[in-house]
């Protein structure tokens, strides 16, 4: 492969990497994570479902943090973590019950 012709593109909105070499598509990679890490108030439904997720979950978390900064409390706030989990899961129509 000619190094001068190769380039890579990373789509920040959908966690996709596309690698080009002299105008030809060589590799298409979708990065997924499966770990459940984070604070429940800011966690995306895909993380709770444990089916794999990409960087779109980071945008979800950013939106939840921005909501809290504007309104004063998280969008799915509850005193009980199980109820918070249900609210987040039901926001995308998932029948997940924590």
């Amino acid at each position: 492969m000619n190094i001068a012709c190769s380039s890579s593109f990373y789509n920040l909105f959908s966690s996709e990497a596309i690698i080009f070499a002299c105008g030809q598509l060589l590799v298409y990679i979708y990065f997924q994570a499966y770990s459940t890490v984070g604070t429940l108030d800011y966690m995306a439904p895909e993380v709770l479902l444990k089916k794999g997720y990409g960087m779109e979950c980071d945008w979800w978390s950013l939106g939840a943090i921005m909501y809290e900064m504007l309104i004063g409390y998280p969008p799915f706030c509850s005193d009980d973590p199980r109820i918070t989990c249900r609210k987040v899961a039901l926001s995308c129509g998932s029948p997940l019950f924590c």
Side-chain angles (χ1 to χ4, degrees), residues 9-18 28-33 46 52-60:
F9 171 74
Y10 188 73
N11 187 344
L12 294 175
F13 297 103
S14 62
S15 302
E16 299 168 350
I18 303 171
Y28 181 79
I29 304 169
Y30 182 77
F31 299 103
Q32 283 192 323
E46 296 90 274
Y53 57 90
M55 284 184 60
E56 60 273 1
C57 292
D58 294 337
W59 291 106
W60 173 282

Side-chain angles (χ1 to χ4, degrees), residues 30-94:
Y30 182 77
F31 299 103
Q32 283 192 323
Y34 294 90
S35 59
T36 305
V37 180
T39 306
L40 190 58
D41 288 329
Y42 312 111
M43 201 175 293
E46 296 90 274
V47 178
L48 292 174
L49 295 173
K50 300 178 184 177
K51 293 186 177 180
Y53 57 90
M55 284 184 60
E56 60 273 1
C57 292
D58 294 337
W59 291 106
W60 173 282
S61 297
L62 178 64
I65 291 168
M66 289 176 60
Y67 181 94
E68 183 175 5
M69 291 173 70
L70 291 170
I71 305 300
Y73 54 88
F76 304 103
C77 184
S78 176
D79 292 333
D80 186 4
R82 290 179 287 155
I83 294 174
T84 302
C85 181
R86 287 185 186 138
K87 287 180 178 181
V88 171
L90 291 175
S91 71
C92 70
S94 172

Side-chain angles (χ1 to χ4, degrees), residues 3 5-11 16-22 27 29:
I3 296 175
C5 289
S6 66
S7 64
S8 62
F9 171 74
Y10 188 73
N11 187 344
E16 299 168 350
I18 303 171
I19 300 171
F20 294 94
C22 297
V27 180
I29 304 169

